[in-house]
Amino acid sequence: MTTGYVYHEIFGWHDTGTHAGLFPSHPQAGIQPLAHVENADTKRRLHELLVVSGLMDHLVRVRPRPATEEEILRVHDRAHLDRVKAQSLLPKGGDAGDGLSPFGQGGYEIAALAAGGAVEAVDAVLAGRVDNAYALVRPPGHHAEPGRGMGFCVFGNVAIAVHHALAVHGLERVAVLDWDVHHGNGTQKAFYADPRVLTISLHQDDVFPPHSGRRHERGTGEGLGTALNVPLPAGSGDGAYLYAMDTVVTPALRAFRPQLIVVASGFDASAMDPMAHQMVTSEGYRALTTRLLDTAAELCGGRVAMSHEGGYNPTYVPFCGLAVMETLAGVRTLDDPFLPIVSGFAGQDLQPHQRDAIDAAIAVPARDRT
Ligand code: 9RB
Ligand code: ZN
């Protein structure tokens, strides 16, 4: 397998500032400054593990380039683009729209490079230069909505890349699988009425955005049935994720027959993540990737492009990302030293209430499909 890999050191320079994780520091309120939870560490350490493990020697580097205004405007409105651009000129930068998505001076150029990185990953796959690809980009993108950034996301990297596949490569059907632990609301919104794009989101039920990603959100108009949400109970591990893959995701992909599958790949459903409460192991991510590649081989010549989203444990994210990229490339390198611990956590197997939640996602009654 030839696997493309997009990365640029400047992704680590996207400056989310000093926060107490999520909140701006506020000494009088007892909020002591620390790093913002969406800082460079997890992604930079993943990149470095790819090098140190030797996997990088098996990957084909794909250079990111900035997304053009035309590409960004396929997803976002002019007001959002201009606001980010204007605030990016300020010495202290600004916020992409919801007060939770800070960026530093020059943040526009880095966010455009992240979106363009996802575009280049899709391009490399569709042009046949590689079999599949992974774009390790920052800032993330799946929460960004047409009119504003959200949840650490500035531009919708995956949505912009999917639009590129439709507009430039002339694809008629593209599927997005979002396995970040949070709902992929931005990507869903970009294609909610669009029958050409199936968006599937596996996420912990009601974490972020609040009240988003419910089972009855199924698309609208021509796009009715082309949004699919699988909210999973807190505590879901490898068993639940693989059951969801086998009973919901794979059948939905088979029914839709995509010509390309794009993955919004967050690792915040891992057993070690500080921002959510799922229990997926690196072997879980490896197995999800294996299943997805098998389905892609059956449906679309194996064409899969992934773009990085969340994941906040700096010691564990690298091993999850390594497992995914090893699987894309068909190579094994280092073992995950955490695996004996996390795979031994009680409840990794599918639990009855998790099965019920996943089965309910399949069986959304027709009357709720609006
Ligand atoms: C705050 C709120 C959050 C919580 C989680 C994320 C995760 C993003 C991600 C982003 C923002 C709310 C601080 C709501 O990893 N996506 O993949 N913010 N949560 N209200 N307030 C005050
Ligand atoms: Zn997330």
Side-chain angles (χ1 to χ4, degrees):
M1 235 24 141
T2 317
T3 297
Y5 174 66
V6 177
Y7 182 72
H8 194 293
E9 280 68 15
I10 206 166
F11 292 142
W13 298 16
H14 163 57
D15 187 1
T16 48
T18 53
H19 278 60
L22 272 175
F23 302 100
S25 63
H26 186 339
Q28 287 68 36
I31 303 175
Q32 188 178 358
L34 190 73
H36 191 285
V37 67
E38 204 294 298
N39 61 63
D41 284 349
T42 54
K43 286 93 177 173
R44 189 164 53 212
R45 288 170 61 100
L46 168 52
H47 172 75
E48 291 181 5
L49 185 61
L50 297 175
V51 176
V52 170
S53 68
L55 182 62
M56 191 68 79
D57 300 335
H58 300 271
L59 304 176
V60 175
R61 285 298 284 262
V62 174
R63 284 173 67 85
R65 48 109 184 142
T68 63
E69 288 202 4
E70 183 187 354
E71 288 168 337
I72 294 169
L73 291 171
R74 289 193 184 116
V75 170
H76 299 287
D77 58 35
R78 167 59 70 181
H80 175 50
L81 174 72
D82 285 348
R83 237 180 351 252
V84 173
K85 240 177 152 172
Q87 291 181 24
S88 177
L89 296 172
L90 303 173
K92 289 186 187 300
D95 186 279
D98 64 343
L100 300 169
S101 311
F103 58 84
Q105 180 167 229
Y108 170 77
E109 283 78 5
I110 303 178
L113 196 69
V119 170
E120 284 297 300
V122 161
D123 229 35
V125 170
L126 291 179
R129 290 193 294 276
V130 296
D131 295 313
N132 52 46
Y134 196 101
L136 179 51
V137 297
R138 182 169 175 267
H142 71 151
H143 296 309
E145 298 192 332
R148 64 172 188 160
M150 256 180 96
F152 320 153
C153 302
V154 179
F155 297 131
N157 307 327
V158 163
I160 290 168
V162 168
H163 264 296
H164 176 79
L166 299 168
V168 175
H169 292 273
L171 263 51
E172 291 168 349
R173 289 178 315 284
V174 179
V176 176
L177 171 61
D178 187 324
W179 66 40
D180 185 282
V181 81
H182 303 98
H183 179 227
N185 62 292
T187 321
Q188 172 174 295
K189 198 164 194 168
F191 301 108
Y192 208 55
D194 192 335
R196 300 172 299 172
V197 181
L198 170 67
T199 60
I200 308 172
S201 182
L202 303 178
H203 46 269
Q204 185 181 325
D205 195 1
D206 210 355
V207 176
F208 188 84
H211 318 305
S212 185
R214 297 285 163 86
R215 281 188 287 269
H216 66 260
E217 296 172 24
R218 296 266 300 159
T220 191
E222 298 263 289
L224 185 60
T226 62
L228 179 50
N229 286 290
V230 190
L232 298 163
S236 296
D238 291 353
Y241 273 78
L242 290 173
Y243 181 74
M245 194 75 181
D246 290 342
T247 63
V248 183
V249 176
T250 303
L253 290 172
R254 286 202 176 111
F256 186 72
R257 295 184 297 109
Q259 297 159 301
L260 166 74
I261 302 172
V262 182
V263 177
S265 174
F267 295 113
D268 38 15
S270 91
M272 305 289 273
D273 201 89
M275 292 290 286
H277 301 87
Q278 304 297 54
M279 301 212 301
V280 181
T281 71
S282 60
E283 282 306 300
Y285 286 111
R286 189 187 303 280
L288 288 172
T289 307
T290 300
R291 302 279 219 282
L292 187 74
L293 286 180
D294 286 348
T295 308
E298 176 190 321
L299 298 176
C300 54
R303 284 195 285 271
V304 170
M306 300 195 179
S307 187
H308 199 88
E309 299 284 354
Y312 303 102
N313 184 312
T315 55
Y316 201 50
V317 164
F319 287 99
C320 297
L322 180 67
V324 167
M325 281 186 250
E326 282 183 352
T327 311
L328 290 177
V331 174
R332 284 300 284 248
T333 62
L334 300 175
D335 292 335
D336 168 9
F338 295 89
L339 192 62
I341 303 169
V342 291
S343 63
F345 287 173
Q348 277 293 1
D349 294 340
L350 177 68
Q351 308 293 306
H353 69 289
Q354 296 164 353
R355 189 185 53 228
D356 290 347
I358 295 163
D359 290 349
I362 310 170
V364 178
R367 67 175 179 282
D368 291 342
R369 293 182 187 180
T370 53

